[in-house]
Amino acid sequence: MNVNQATFLKATSKLFGVDFVPKIPESSKNEAGEPSLDSVEQSHALHCKHCTTQHGYTNIVFGCGNPHADIMFIGEAPGEEEDKQGEPFVGAAGQKLNEIISAMKLTRDDVYIANIIKVRPENNRTPREDEIALCAPYLVKQIECIQPKVIVALGSPASKFLLQTSVGITRLRGNWGWFDSIPVMPTYHPAYLLRNYTTETRKEVWSDIQQVLKKVQALGKTSQV
Ligand code: URA
């Protein structure tokens, strides 16, 4: 964890009255003292103060895709289908995300997909800030492991968390922000796009995605499997 992330976690902890940082066993860190994605997943399953205290879900949906991806998509929380299958974005919103990924001439195996909350909230409600404060430190660790070139924040909760802002997605989308030193492009959530399937919203999302592709190209790294 670098200084910015440590400060960020401390600030988040203070903000929501939470006093912890994720526990990653020393034995599962690499030579540089950084945790592996597997160890973050195990640590989350054992210690997440949000997910380990919830009921009524089937699977923890940690994330999927290329652990060396240039592009990381971050959504809100698993829905019914994701809970059943244990994989993010496999329901209707997932089909739309798949279309976006194919339009980028990529596959789900080229990118990494995760959520800010890793178990399904009851009745598919939007995660609360206190829940995000408890679970998202593991997402921060995930980001640290993957080190994507660019993050695409899908919808309001992911954008607000990553950019530490209360500004709504309509104003945020299309404008670069930063998470630590990683550029973040906020855009509409695919579920919002499905509910508001207009020429305007489609154009906006595609324009955001084109900015992402240009940024990755400018940063000049190719994904390795
Ligand atoms: N919506 C999300 O935000 N994430 C999922 O994994 C599925 C639907």
Side-chain angles (χ1 to χ4, degrees), residues 75-79 82 88-89 93 115 189:
E76 191 174 311
E82 289 77 19
F89 284 98
N115 286 305
H189 192 286

Side-chain angles (χ1 to χ4, degrees), residues 48-65:
C48 176
K49 288 189 178 165
H50 172 258
C51 298
T52 58
T53 58
Q54 300 304 297
H55 304 283
Y57 67 86
T58 309
N59 283 299
I60 292 179
V61 181
F62 184 71
C64 70

Side-chain angles (χ1 to χ4, degrees), residues 71-86:
I71 302 173
M72 184 166 178
F73 288 92
I74 301 178
E76 191 174 311
E80 192 175 354
E81 204 50 44
E82 289 77 19
D83 180 52
K84 270 190 210 150
Q85 297 189 35

